[in-house]
Amino acid sequence: MEKKTYYIAVGSGEILEPEDVTGNFEFEIQATEEEVDKLQEIFEELAMNEEDTAVRAMIPYREYHADKENDAYDWNLTEIYRMLHELGTPDTRKHIEAMNVLPQ
């Protein structure tokens, strides 16, 4: 399958095609439709995890490191950056490496 260029805004969970870009993106990737679908699924899971962490935040005695909701959120966010690194342009890979967000 042919790879196309996409632009990613992690904070808003957007995957933009070149004609939709207005300058609000952080990363550029080259991906197939299947890879973009998988990335979109992970963004959707992250959004659900974000809601769960907001609910969990109302429970003051639960520590962050002992919290399955936060673990799921962290795992999905790391998976997004892993995929962006794998599919990214050289500049994207360099930027993600500089962020130090991927496990060694």
Side-chain angles (χ1 to χ4, degrees):
M1 185 134 244
E2 183 180 333
K3 292 192 177 226
K4 293 175 29 182
T5 299
Y6 295 91
Y7 299 93
I8 311 301
V10 174
S12 61
E14 292 178 281
I15 301 172
L16 306 166
E17 294 194 38
E19 59 271 11
D20 299 327
V21 173
T22 59
N24 278 338
F25 67 91
E26 292 124 7
F27 303 104
E28 180 179 344
I29 64 170
Q30 298 287 316
T32 64
E33 286 184 34
E34 288 82 15
E35 291 166 331
V36 168
D37 289 344
K38 176 63 178 166
L39 185 59
Q40 184 63 48
E41 286 176 24
I42 299 171
F43 271 125
E44 290 169 7
E45 289 174 21
L46 185 70
M48 288 187 294
N49 295 142
E50 193 169 30
E51 292 172 15
D52 292 343
T53 61
V55 171
R56 194 240 27 106
M58 300 300 180
I59 306 170
Y61 58 86
R62 284 180 63 188
E63 297 177 0
Y64 186 93
H65 66 277
D67 191 323
K68 66 180 178 151
E69 292 87 356
N70 285 330
D71 290 344
Y73 180 87
D74 291 348
W75 186 88
N76 279 308
L77 190 57
T78 300
E79 196 61 17
I80 287 168
Y81 281 113
R82 185 199 62 74
M83 233 180 136
L84 293 177
H85 185 267
E86 178 183 315
L87 300 171
T89 63
D91 285 343
T92 292
R93 287 193 294 272
K94 184 178 175 183
H95 185 105
I96 290 171
E97 289 165 8
M99 292 171 64
N100 236 359
V101 293
L102 297 177
Q104 299 299 327

